[in-house]
Amino acid sequence: MTQELKEKLAKVVELVKNDMVDPDIDIEYCIPEVAVTSDKCDVSGEPYILVKYITEEHDVHERKIKIRRKYQQMSPEDLANLITFYIEQFKEEIDSVEYGGE
């Protein structure tokens, strides 16, 4: 991983952390050489972010958001916005299943 890419992904992690202040969302970063916040990270493939959403019933739903090579060409702000969008979309999907779209 190049130094430039490391710096870009570090900025993305910082932006996502600032954007996603949600007590129901737990985010684990599995980005080797940048941010590995779980000992369960599989660092052999593409870097990714693991999102856990805990509903009011304490059900845990997980989604892995891979940071594919094509996404790594984006600006840190655009990539952070895309990841935030995916997290919001994931949360809405779970809410509609769990709560019947209330």
Side-chain angles (χ1 to χ4, degrees), residues 83-99:
I83 291 167
T84 303
F85 171 76
Y86 284 150
I87 293 170
E88 294 291 349
Q89 195 177 41
F90 168 60
K91 193 174 168 190
E92 287 172 18
E93 284 173 26
I94 301 305
D95 284 348
S96 70
V97 170
E98 288 280 323
Y99 308 117

Side-chain angles (χ1 to χ4, degrees), residues 46-60:
E46 293 175 307
Y48 65 93
I49 293 173
L50 185 65
V51 182
K52 294 180 184 175
Y53 178 36
I54 299 131
T55 63
E56 291 174 11
E57 287 77 31
H58 303 289
D59 294 329
V60 179

